């Protein structure tokens, strides 16, 4: 019987964005009609959140640093495991399917992929 290693990582915010653009997430969130007005007031936020978001660009840089460190840790674990096969699960986000034909499960198989951000 083979061994299985499970690793879960985020795919957002995109690391391709510069820190200033990543920091804009706060502005976009605070302007969203989906966020209740009372939650948009920084005075109502927990102290650690107020401290972190006092300088959104610095917060984005720190987030990027932690995110990259986490990705590297996952990669080290994957390399140490030395798998024969890697399966990657991801959400489709309208790249291949729409409401009129969303399968419960889909396998998208490739021998390899070239990716250029």
């Amino acid at each position: 019987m083979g061994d299985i290693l499970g690793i879960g990582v985020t795919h957002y915010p995109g690391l391709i964005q510069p820190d200033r653009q990543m920091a804009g997430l706060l502005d976009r969130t605070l302007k969203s009609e989906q966020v209740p007005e009372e939650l948009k007031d920084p005075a109502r936020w927990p102290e650690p959140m107020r401290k972190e978001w006092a300088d959104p660009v610095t917060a984005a840089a720190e987030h990027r640093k932690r995110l990259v460190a986490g990705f590297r840790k996952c990669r080290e674990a994957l390399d140490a495991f030395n798998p024969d096969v890697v399966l990657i699960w991801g959400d489709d986000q309208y790249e291949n399917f729409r409401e009129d034909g969303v399968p419960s499960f889909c396998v998208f198989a490739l021998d390899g992929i070239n990716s250029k951000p």
Side-chain angles (χ1 to χ4, degrees), residues 5-117:
L5 172 67
I7 298 176
V9 298
T10 185
H11 74 292
Y12 188 83
L15 293 174
I16 194 169
Q17 301 173 358
D19 293 341
R20 186 163 302 285
Q21 187 176 350
M22 191 187 296
L25 175 65
L26 178 62
D27 276 344
R28 290 189 302 277
T29 301
L30 294 178
K31 290 176 183 172
S32 171
E33 294 177 8
Q34 296 178 343
V35 176
E37 287 302 317
E38 65 273 11
L39 298 180
K40 295 179 181 183
D41 179 6
R44 298 184 63 135
W45 299 350
E47 179 59 30
M49 186 175 170
R50 286 196 304 268
K51 184 177 177 184
E52 179 177 355
W53 285 105
D55 182 350
V57 176
T58 299
E62 178 58 30
H63 176 76
R64 177 185 310 281
K65 185 176 155 186
R66 291 190 319 261
L67 192 58
V68 169
F71 284 146
R72 287 185 175 140
K73 190 174 182 179
C74 290
R75 178 57 193 256
E76 289 171 8
L78 183 61
D79 288 344
F81 190 73
N82 194 25
D84 294 321
V85 174
V86 175
L87 298 176
I88 300 173
W89 272 261
D91 53 8
D92 179 73
Q93 294 189 330
Y94 268 40
E95 285 124 354
N96 298 294
F97 303 109
R98 299 289 191 267
E99 288 90 352
D100 61 348
V102 179
S104 300
F105 183 75
C106 173
V107 176
F108 186 74
L110 300 169
D111 291 329
I113 187 167
N114 292 323
S115 176
K116 295 181 181 179

